[in-house]
Amino acid sequence: MTALGVVFRPQLPPERLRDVACAADEAGLEELWLWEDCFLESGIASAAAALAWTRRLRVGIGLLPVPLRNVALTAMEAATLHRLFPQRAIVGVGHGVQDWMAQVGARVDSPLTLLEEYLTALRALLRGERVTVQGRYVRLDDVALDWPPPAAPPVPAGASGPRTLRLSGRAADGTILTAGTAPDAVRRARRLIEEGRAEAGRTDPHRLVVYFHAATGPDARSRLEAELRGWGDAPTADLGAAGDAETVAAAVVRLAQAGADTVVLQPTADEPDPEGFVRFVAEQVRPLVP
């Protein structure tokens, strides 16, 4: 079954999150995803609040930029979320936007090396292991969590280029693809992920999460086209869906057929009714997606 979610865009002020999260929970939406984009809103603080305000909604962070966060701190915060809200938190990590990392003095020479070291250490800590490692970037001396999760949670990684996709297959438990990824690109990403998994001898589940631009309402088409142009993409049907529930659901199904396990609909930055958008997805689109 394809899971369905919606992004809470950090272009909205933090005080809007409660109403959107509660609307999603009440409407039966499966997942609400958050971004830790510089310099907008914190991923961990926002996720903790959204989880506390809701009862059944899963809340994903896609993603925490690893150059900004010591891996032990991320492990502590992720473990706390997983213990407070079992089976409801999804904490993803990734390179981060390199220009932003440079702005805060955190950019590294080899983002791939950092991400692989980070994923290896983070997953071990969340398994309750005691970790000593002296990597190029990640260095831990006899570190273990006092309160690890009862069961090790999956850790997905954001990826786009071929090397990072293979790395995600080797070292992460899932992969997050950005909006603007057409079905053919989803298929290519899945192949590269599987190459990495085969290299590492992994046979465990690996969930593929794909963001997808979507808009509804009377001005949906014009808003979506402007959004795609803002991301530097051509306004094509493969990269976004604008219109009624049938139109959006058909696009979700195409992504699922290409290999997406979860499709997260990304509203435009100027979406006039975020609460209405999550209700539209949960109540109208969800019944049309197998």
Side-chain angles (χ1 to χ4, degrees):
M1 178 178 174
T2 306
L4 201 57
V6 169
V7 179
F8 175 85
R9 298 283 297 264
Q11 286 79 10
L12 293 170
E15 56 269 25
R16 292 293 302 276
L17 177 59
R18 181 170 190 163
D19 287 345
V20 174
C22 290
D25 200 44
E26 292 163 5
L29 185 70
E30 292 145 83
E31 298 181 3
L32 185 69
W33 283 74
L34 311 170
W35 298 346
E36 186 164 84
D37 274 5
C38 299
F39 300 95
L40 294 163
E41 293 163 14
S42 158
I44 294 292
S46 298
L51 287 161
W53 289 325
T54 58
R55 295 178 299 168
R56 48 158 300 282
L57 183 71
R58 293 194 298 272
V59 177
I61 305 172
L63 45 76
L64 300 176
V66 299
L68 280 177
R69 293 176 168 273
N70 183 281
V71 68
L73 175 62
T74 298
M76 291 163 59
E77 293 194 310
T80 300
L81 287 181
H82 288 298
R83 292 186 69 105
L84 288 172
F85 309 101
Q87 310 300 315
R88 292 181 55 210
I90 309 163
V91 180
V93 298
H95 296 309
V97 176
Q98 295 307 296
D99 287 347
W100 292 340
M101 299 303 100
Q103 276 186 275
V104 297
R107 185 167 183 166
V108 298
D109 291 333
S110 178
L112 281 166
T113 301
L114 170 57
L115 184 57
E116 188 151 16
E117 291 180 355
Y118 201 101
L119 282 163
T120 302
L122 177 59
R123 293 175 63 240
L125 290 168
L126 291 174
R127 289 193 299 266
E129 298 176 13
R130 186 168 296 277
V131 180
T132 295
V133 62
Q134 290 294 315
R136 180 175 177 182
Y137 298 110
V138 174
R139 300 177 184 180
L140 300 174
D141 182 10
D142 196 34
V143 175
L145 297 176
D146 284 275
W147 296 103
V155 179
S160 55
R163 291 190 298 167
T164 308
L165 287 163
R166 292 191 186 96
L167 185 160
S168 184
R170 288 195 308 273
D173 303 303
T175 301
I176 304 166
L177 303 182
T178 62
T181 306
D184 283 346
V186 173
R187 293 185 184 92
R188 287 194 296 272
R190 177 63 88 175
R191 287 195 296 270
L192 290 164
I193 291 164
E194 290 304 322
E195 289 176 12
R197 283 166 53 76
E199 179 185 332
R202 296 188 64 169
T203 58
D204 52 328
H206 189 102
R207 196 161 190 84
L208 184 58
V209 178
V210 182
Y211 290 133
F212 187 71
H213 297 288
T216 191
D219 58 347
R221 172 57 55 188
S222 60
R223 285 191 293 109
L224 178 62
E225 290 178 355
E227 179 80 14
L228 288 168
R229 286 193 294 270
W231 287 91
D233 292 323
T236 67
D238 280 347
L239 300 183
D244 58 15
E246 288 77 11
T247 300
V248 175
V252 171
V253 169
R254 288 193 292 273
L255 291 169
Q257 291 171 340
D261 298 301
T262 299
V263 177
V264 183
L265 297 175
Q266 181 173 311
T268 61
D270 61 351
E271 165 59 51
D273 182 11
E275 295 85 355
F277 186 81
V278 298
R279 286 191 288 266
F280 163 75
V281 174
E283 296 169 359
Q284 298 183 48
V285 178
R286 171 75 272 179
L288 303 176
V289 177

